[in-house]
Amino acid sequence: MLPGSHRAAGLVDDTALVRAMLQVEVAWARVLGNPISVDGWVPVLDPVEVEAAGNPVLPLVTALRARVPGPVHTGLTSQDVLDSAFMLLARGAVERASADLARVAGALARLAGEHRSSVMAGRTLTQHAVPITFGLKAARWLVGVLDAAGELEAVPLPVQCGGAAGTLSRADDPIASATAFAGHLGLVWPGMPWHTYRAPVTRLGDALVRTCDALGVVAADLLTLGRPEIGEVSEGAVAGRGGSSTMPHKRNPVLSVLVNSAALQAPGLGARLHLCAARAVDERPDGAWHAEWPALRALLELVVVAASQAAELVEGLEVHADVMARRAREAAADLLAERGGGTDPGAYLGAAEAFVDEALKRWKG
């Protein structure tokens, strides 16, 4: 079980997927001139029937036809329904993650402003480099999060509508039907089906991975700075969080650990989407499409959870600027070696504050 999965409850689980597929079928029925309503009904699909069909759409359509009169699903194929349903799930996940990324950005902007002059040791390849400020570090995190959020929000989410082999041959007016279908669902009609052109999925996956990348940098830095021998930051204390099953003294940086974990998992899931895209053969794929589902669902859940955890992490972060300043003074010989020596790390900060200002301008829009 993904630690923190409750933060994504109802967004990408089995029930959410069935509900999204049902929404797709209702929208297509309206295109067919059958204005059905299911009144909140969500069928429980038999896993044996799902396996027998190779996907969950046929059992869903069977249950729906037993419940409502008139044409249902006619002219669609299972991939139309499932791909469109995943785009609906993605929309909800992106909206939730975007809201939390805005919280992350707001907290990082606050830290950048408050600590624009808080001197600390800059480190490169794990060793002392030159002095920086914690505000500059927070500003760099902020820019990464803003870039990732912008990419995520800009990803187009298209409807899938192609029929058995991507020709929409059973629709009376294929283009008008596909356009109306997209309109009912609030998705984009991309101009043609994408059964074996999986860029919509890989583009979404790439944006999700980039989001985890940006959050992972924050988490990894905080894990390093929070080590007891460094002690420059701490996660906010929350009752019951960070305890150890064997060591009573510990307060583990759980949120940083989990966000870091998400950043380590996401690239592999994104790579699987690309691998599947490269094997999307014929007019409908023979397994590559099926292998996408768990990867995309896992990636959507991972990003929603990580964004929520990251927001809580940075909003509650405790910054020990006094420790940073003391460590910088103690390491002054190293930190000022580039300029030939000195004793005041705060006198060698270059354009650090100007760079903070630039990041804050972007955040303010």
Side-chain angles (χ1 to χ4, degrees):
M1 192 166 91
L2 175 68
S5 59
H6 63 283
R7 296 172 185 258
L11 283 176
V12 294
D13 56 21
D14 286 350
T15 300
L17 179 58
V18 173
R19 187 178 290 112
M21 291 192 297
L22 196 58
Q23 186 178 346
V24 171
E25 292 288 0
V26 169
W28 185 250
R30 290 175 180 169
V31 172
L32 298 175
N34 183 16
I36 63 172
S37 174
V38 294
D39 297 322
W41 170 73
V42 180
V44 177
L45 304 185
D46 184 338
V48 174
E49 293 179 4
V50 172
E51 181 186 35
N55 67 69
V57 177
L58 178 56
L60 174 73
V61 172
T62 300
L64 184 59
R65 283 176 172 158
R67 185 178 180 86
V68 300
V72 168
H73 189 75
T74 303
L76 289 187
T77 192
S78 56
Q79 189 169 351
D80 294 330
V81 177
L82 206 48
D83 279 352
S84 297
F86 269 112
M87 291 298 108
L88 294 178
L89 293 187
R91 182 172 63 196
V94 167
E95 288 173 355
R96 177 77 65 84
S98 295
D100 283 325
L101 290 175
R103 290 174 56 200
V104 174
L108 292 178
R110 174 181 57 79
L111 290 171
E114 289 178 0
H115 294 281
R116 60 189 305 112
S117 302
S118 297
V119 179
M120 65 181 295
R123 299 171 175 93
T124 62
L125 281 69
T126 76
Q127 305 299 301
H128 286 147
V130 297
I132 64 169
T133 68
F134 185 71
L136 177 61
K137 184 175 284 288
R140 286 199 297 255
W141 293 337
L142 172 60
V143 168
V145 169
L146 290 174
D147 282 347
E151 291 177 26
L152 190 60
E153 292 170 10
V155 172
L157 300 176
V159 74
Q160 179 71 277
C161 190
T167 62
L168 265 181
S169 50
R170 259 195 107 169
D172 293 335
D173 187 337
I175 304 304
S177 295
T179 303
F181 185 39
H184 287 314
L185 293 172
L187 298 174
V188 175
W189 166 238
M192 65 183 299
W194 41 280
H195 290 157
T196 55
Y197 171 65
R198 307 307 289 171
V201 174
T202 55
R203 194 178 292 122
L204 170 62
D206 290 346
L208 294 167
V209 172
R210 273 278 296 115
T211 299
C212 283
D213 291 347
L215 298 177
V217 169
V218 180
D221 267 348
L222 293 178
L223 287 169
T224 297
L225 297 177
R227 287 174 176 269
E229 60 271 27
I230 297 178
E232 295 180 352
V233 300
S234 302
E235 285 195 12
V238 175
R241 177 180 291 160
S244 167
S245 62
T246 58
M247 293 171 282
H249 71 282
K250 293 192 77 179
R251 194 182 99 193
N252 293 317
V254 173
L255 294 177
S256 297
V257 167
L258 293 178
V259 174
N260 189 45
S261 170
L264 294 172
Q265 294 176 67
L269 294 169
R272 194 196 308 179
L273 295 178
H274 280 279
L275 178 61
C276 293
R279 298 294 301 152
V281 297
D282 297 326
E283 279 59 60
R284 300 267 309 289
D286 56 351
W289 173 56
H290 303 70
E292 275 182 5
W293 312 339
L296 183 55
R297 282 179 67 178
L299 193 49
L300 288 168
E301 182 180 29
L302 202 63
V303 169
V304 169
V305 171
S308 175
Q309 291 168 337
E312 188 172 346
L313 168 63
V314 295
E315 285 174 345
L317 188 68
E318 298 172 5
V319 180
H320 308 305
D322 56 332
V323 178
M324 292 177 179
R326 174 168 55 81
R327 293 199 178 282
R329 288 193 302 270
E330 292 170 350
D334 290 343
L335 297 174
L336 298 173
E338 181 186 66
R339 80 166 190 179
T343 58
D344 181 10
Y348 193 58
L349 294 172
E353 291 202 18
F355 294 149
V356 170
D357 288 338
E358 288 302 310
L360 293 179
K361 285 179 188 176
R362 258 199 76 184
W363 174 69
K364 292 175 181 177

